[in-house]
Amino acid sequence: MHGAVARTALTIGFAAALSASLQGCFVALAGAAGGSALVATDRRTVGSQTEDREIQVKALSDLTKNLPDTSHINVAVFNQRVLLTGEVPDEGSKQKAEALTRAIANVGSVVNELAVLPASSFSSRANDSYLEGRVKGELVAYKDISANNFKVVSERGIVYLMGLVTPDEGSIAADATSKVTGVQKVVKVYQYIQPGQKAVPAVAATSAPTPVNADEEPTVGAVPDASVSSRPIN
């Protein structure tokens, strides 16, 4: 029964990503006609945004088909960097998930944050969705950054921040996130850019992309006076 629930969660995630991909095609076309503010404010090129959606759909499909039913995996993609979060039953499944993801065309790097744990409960996932909304709302309130430049992912109270940002923007967002009630830790999975830099092409993929460990990036606990340092993940 538990495995069926986990499988259903993965299937729902795949369907949601597919829907987002189809919607993304429409948004990209609207942007070409001068109608999409979201695409216009994204620092990725339109091509990179489309590629990210395709990578996400492919990764969810491959992981659903090839990992145990008890796995619960979320896939977030930004500028060809793939973040894997969730839970898998054993270390072999964690490594297999990374290998499957790295094998997908145009993946630049993989941040494997899967935990070898039982699949999270429905209430835990609901709380993560709530935290994502709270963090996004918090980022909107800061005038020195644009919330549109950040992708927010929450897993078991750990919040991951992705995006093409300057070091200052990244620090502001991480510090703001750390102050949101319920956030256990903030992990920065940024790709840094220069101030004033606009659209940024996706990173060049190689035949064997280098995996990235988010533990190399500084983290900060959810305390009001936390100091946040920044170091790019290359």
Side-chain angles (χ1 to χ4, degrees):
M1 181 67 177
H2 187 66
V5 171
R7 172 68 68 180
T8 300
L10 275 171
T11 302
I12 292 172
F14 170 67
L18 179 58
S19 175
S21 179
L22 293 174
Q23 290 177 347
C25 292
F26 173 78
V27 170
L29 288 173
S36 176
L38 182 60
V39 170
T41 58
D42 198 309
R43 283 172 171 162
R44 295 170 295 173
T45 63
V46 173
S48 295
Q49 294 175 56
T50 301
E51 189 65 60
D52 285 350
R53 287 190 292 270
E54 292 176 352
I55 290 172
Q56 183 186 36
V57 170
K58 176 64 173 171
L60 284 168
S61 176
D62 289 354
L63 297 176
T64 300
K65 293 175 183 176
N66 294 288
L67 291 180
D69 290 350
T70 52
S71 301
H72 160 240
I73 300 178
N74 291 316
V75 179
V77 188
F78 198 96
N79 207 46
Q80 292 187 314
R81 171 167 288 178
V82 182
L83 170 66
L84 300 178
T85 59
E87 303 82 33
V88 288
D90 51 61
E91 184 64 27
S93 296
K94 177 177 179 177
Q95 297 307 317
K96 184 175 184 179
E98 182 172 325
L100 288 167
T101 304
R102 286 193 287 109
I104 296 172
N106 298 316
V107 168
S109 60
V110 177
V111 180
N112 189 349
E113 286 291 282
L114 291 170
V116 180
L117 292 170
S120 58
S121 65
F122 176 81
S123 61
S124 175
R125 297 178 203 181
N127 182 64
D128 283 326
S129 296
Y130 169 75
L131 282 179
E132 288 177 5
R134 283 289 308 277
V135 169
K136 290 173 184 176
E138 186 71 15
L139 298 184
V140 168
Y142 281 72
K143 65 179 182 179
D144 294 329
I145 59 175
S146 171
N148 287 338
N149 292 330
F150 297 88
K151 180 184 286 290
V152 180
V153 177
S154 179
E155 196 73 63
R156 301 184 310 280
I158 302 170
V159 175
Y160 300 86
L161 298 176
M162 306 180 78
L164 291 164
V165 299
T166 67
D168 284 347
E169 290 170 338
S171 293
I172 291 170
D175 188 56
T177 300
S178 74
K179 297 173 183 176
V180 173
T181 302
V183 172
Q184 302 301 311
K185 184 169 68 173
V186 178
V187 180
K188 294 180 285 184
V189 197
Y190 299 136
Q191 292 167 286
Y192 288 107
I193 62 173
Q194 297 299 317
Q197 194 171 348
K198 302 299 182 182
V200 180
V203 294
T206 62
S207 57
T210 303
V212 179
N213 186 347
D215 289 339
E216 297 174 359
E217 180 71 352
T219 60
V220 57
V223 292
D225 60 349
S227 60
V228 184
S229 59
S230 299
R231 185 165 60 85
I233 302 177
N234 297 314

